[in-house]
Amino acid sequence: MVVKLQRPILVGGLGLSFSLWMLQSWHHSIVQLGELSLLSVLAVGGGLWLFKHKLPKDSSEQLNGMLFDRATAESAIAKTEAVINQLAQEAENHQALGTLRNQLAQLSVELDRQEIRLAVTGGQGVGKSTLIQVLESNYTPEKQQIIRFQETAPLLKELGSHADTNILAEAAKSDAVMFLTNGDLTDSEFQALQQIKALNQPKILVFNKQDQYLPDERASVLLSLQQRVQDHVVAVSASPLPIKVRKHEADGVVQEWMEQPAPDIQQLTLELSELLAQQSQQWVWTTTARQAFLLKSEAKNYLNGVRCDRATPVIEQYQWIAAAAAFANPVPALDILATAAINAQMVMDLGNIYQQKFSLEQAQTVAGTMGSLMLKLGLVELSTKAIGIVLKSNAVTFVAGGLVQGVSAAYLTRVAALSLAAYFEQQEIASVSGNNLNVDKLRQTLQSVFQQSQQIAFLQGFVKQGVKRLLPEVQPVEVVS
């Protein structure tokens, strides 16, 4: 095992145990769990898997129903460019750079786009194609604006289906959405509307086929839609049902025939004209900003992947440094200097990878904060018990001095490191996290890492790896299943 003694912060502190220090500070308030439940709760899944499957994105860039001006859209483009440039700096030959740069250049062109794109979506048989045909034939917007209607595939009836998510993602490329329904909203339709709202897209809810309802029913459905959506809601009949016409002649002869009424879209065209006159330019800027945020997220994922590849061996090295320190000195009375030394240096090294610069004092503060959070969340107690359970089946390894402490130290160091990496991934390019560490967000990230990593197989494999490193001459440990 290669020990990283060249790091100045580490020198002189490695004789003390990471896990036992935290256990000494821990007040025993954890509800006693059974062995199987401990294993189930505690198994922290392999770090590389966790890195590749990102935590939920920071919500700070959500657009929250606002329409943007040009300056805001330009700022979004600039932030995206900064991420792409950072990717180029850290991985100049990355295969995605060419595509990202082409998409970035297109965003600047989009700012001055004159064409307005309207997505028309809804379930099967609500009249999307017919409404588009009627609008294209009968509606002329003011100011000679060019409007392009884009019909999506039908939304499915299954609530929250994966296909619906893809359809709405395509609709998000438009400036606004016309959502068609032919009656009161179903649960799946309401959820789809909520997703459109979350994407910050202007929308018009179109109650089509209103002619198929009696006047009182029609008014009731329209009122229900307005109350549920509280947005632009209009009623139309894109293709009214034929009506029977009866004519009585003077000689008593009665003639009957079927007539096709003209489409009734007046309320919709008035609403469209008003919105386009007031907001069309802002629609374009908001769409551009939305696309910039999506491109930024894509570039950031590539960047985080590059950093993950660099961080993984660093995390593995520090986890075994912590294991060696705890294994060599399994004593009850501990000084926290070694723990602070190991973790502060790890914070600085990970910070350098993720461009989050820390002073020594800041790194020590972050390390202390992580240790405190892990204690309060009960991870120390749970990890030590679970690792002890795994080792019980082998008497030689279980009685070996400090083995439980050593493996626990490695395990907890890995959890802390993965949480820090996940936290750093959410930060803005060139921000200085050491000056404004968000403890609440760090706590949430730590909990997410812990909860998303419940893989018993990993814990068992991790213990085997720890025994092999700390007791290389002992036969392979048998672990409980």
Side-chain angles (χ1 to χ4, degrees):
M1 178 177 62
V2 179
V3 180
K4 202 170 184 177
L5 288 176
Q6 69 270 27
R7 296 296 190 188
I9 301 176
L10 290 176
V11 176
L14 296 183
L16 304 176
S17 167
F18 177 90
S19 64
L20 285 183
W21 163 65
M22 290 196 289
L23 277 171
Q24 185 183 40
S25 305
W26 172 238
H27 300 288
H28 299 282
S29 60
I30 300 297
V31 177
Q32 297 301 312
L33 302 176
E35 292 187 357
L36 289 179
S37 61
L38 270 173
L39 284 172
S40 298
V41 171
L42 224 222
V44 171
L48 189 58
W49 177 91
L50 180 63
F51 269 155
K52 299 302 184 182
H53 294 74
K54 304 301 176 186
L55 295 172
K57 299 297 180 195
D58 182 7
S59 61
S60 62
E61 285 186 348
Q62 290 182 357
L63 307 182
N64 298 324
M66 297 174 58
L67 292 178
F68 286 176
D69 57 18
R70 185 184 183 95
T72 306
E74 289 175 340
S75 175
I77 294 174
K79 290 180 180 179
T80 302
E81 183 176 14
V83 176
I84 294 174
N85 288 342
Q86 188 67 36
L87 175 61
Q89 180 178 332
E90 296 186 27
E92 60 181 358
N93 296 320
H94 197 284
Q95 60 183 7
L97 276 173
T99 301
L100 292 173
R101 283 170 169 159
N102 289 338
Q103 292 176 325
L104 179 67
Q106 184 60 35
L107 288 177
S108 297
V109 176
E110 284 285 295
L111 285 172
D112 297 311
R113 171 167 53 84
Q114 298 300 310
E115 179 186 73
I116 303 298
R117 301 166 185 162
L118 296 179
V120 181
T121 191
Q124 183 75 40
V126 294
K128 297 184 294 294
S129 299
T130 302
L131 180 61
I132 290 175
Q133 292 171 5
V134 171
L135 286 170
E136 289 177 338
S137 302
N138 298 277
Y139 175 59
T140 303
E142 299 178 5
K143 300 182 180 179
Q144 300 301 313
Q145 289 174 317
I146 301 174
I147 298 181
R148 181 155 62 94
F149 298 98
Q150 301 171 314
E151 180 181 356
T152 73
L155 297 176
L156 303 179
K157 294 181 179 180
E158 291 82 1
L159 194 63
S161 70
H162 182 68
D164 282 3
T165 300
N166 292 336
I167 291 170
L168 294 176
E170 285 298 312
K173 299 176 182 179
S174 300
D175 301 312
V177 174
M178 288 195 297
F179 192 102
L180 270 64
T181 182
N182 54 12
D184 207 353
L185 294 175
T186 64
D187 287 340
S188 57
E189 286 176 327
F190 182 75
Q191 186 180 73
L193 283 167
Q194 293 301 104
Q195 292 183 49
I196 292 171
K197 180 179 180 181
L199 291 170
N200 195 56
Q201 275 193 289
K203 64 182 181 298
I204 301 175
L205 179 58
V206 180
F207 170 29
N208 192 22
K209 303 184 181 181
Q210 63 163 335
D211 61 296
Q212 298 181 19
Y213 291 79
L214 295 174
D216 289 347
E217 295 175 332
R218 185 185 312 165
S220 177
V221 171
L222 187 58
L223 178 61
S224 175
L225 294 175
Q226 291 169 337
Q227 290 176 337
R228 294 187 69 182
V229 178
Q230 297 179 347
D231 210 333
H232 303 284
V233 181
V234 297
V236 302
S237 295
S239 180
L241 292 176
I243 59 175
K244 181 181 288 187
V245 178
R246 180 180 291 115
K247 181 179 180 181
H248 295 266
E249 301 290 350
D251 58 4
V253 176
V254 178
Q255 297 183 10
E256 292 183 345
W257 67 91
M258 303 298 292
E259 273 192 7
Q260 178 67 49
D264 179 7
I265 60 168
Q266 183 178 8
Q267 189 179 359
L268 175 58
T269 56
L270 288 174
E271 190 80 21
L272 268 178
S273 295
E274 183 177 347
L275 288 172
L276 289 170
Q278 296 175 355
Q279 302 178 0
S280 60
Q281 189 62 74
Q282 289 178 296
W283 283 2
V284 172
W285 292 330
T286 302
T287 299
T288 304
R290 182 169 58 248
Q291 292 174 339
F293 286 135
L294 291 173
L295 183 60
K296 176 186 172 185
S297 178
E298 182 182 359
K300 189 73 177 292
N301 283 340
Y302 285 125
L303 179 60
N304 285 336
V306 170
R307 291 171 172 179
C308 161
D309 292 340
R310 295 169 56 198
T312 297
V314 173
I315 293 172
E316 291 178 349
Q317 188 168 33
Y318 276 108
Q319 73 188 27
W320 300 125
I321 290 174
F327 177 70
N329 295 275
V331 295
L334 298 172
D335 187 332
I336 66 171
L337 291 178
T339 301
I342 294 172
N343 288 280
Q345 184 65 64
M346 182 178 71
V347 168
M348 294 189 72
D349 285 358
L350 288 177
N352 287 334
I353 291 173
Y354 285 91
Q355 299 298 307
Q356 304 290 312
K357 304 301 183 182
F358 293 95
S359 66
L360 172 57
E361 182 179 359
Q362 290 169 344
Q364 290 171 335
T365 299
V366 173
T369 300
M370 287 296 301
S372 175
L373 288 174
M374 294 179 80
L375 284 169
K376 291 177 181 178
L377 292 171
L379 305 189
V380 179
E381 181 96 351
L382 290 173
S383 66
T384 304
K385 286 185 177 181
I387 289 170
I389 291 169
V390 174
L391 289 170
K392 276 184 180 179
S393 62
N394 188 296
V396 175
T397 59
F398 186 66
V399 300
L403 186 60
V404 173
Q405 296 94 320
V407 177
S408 296
Y411 179 84
L412 291 168
T413 299
R414 188 175 189 87
V415 172
L418 291 175
S419 300
L420 280 172
Y423 174 83
F424 291 156
E425 286 183 356
Q426 301 173 50
Q427 306 309 303
E428 289 290 337
I429 295 297
S431 66
V432 185
S433 66
N435 290 330
N436 55 0
L437 186 69
N438 188 324
V439 176
D440 287 338
K441 187 176 293 184
L442 186 58
R443 180 188 297 109
Q444 293 169 7
T445 304
L446 181 59
Q447 289 176 310
S448 295
V449 169
F450 191 66
Q451 293 169 0
Q452 293 183 25
S453 307
Q454 297 174 7
Q455 297 182 32
I456 293 177
F458 170 77
L459 182 61
Q460 294 172 337
F462 191 86
V463 170
K464 285 184 177 180
Q465 190 177 8
V467 171
K468 183 177 181 180
R469 284 177 172 268
L470 297 175
L471 297 174
E473 297 180 0
V474 174
Q475 295 298 316
V477 60
E478 295 294 330
V479 297
V480 296
S481 60

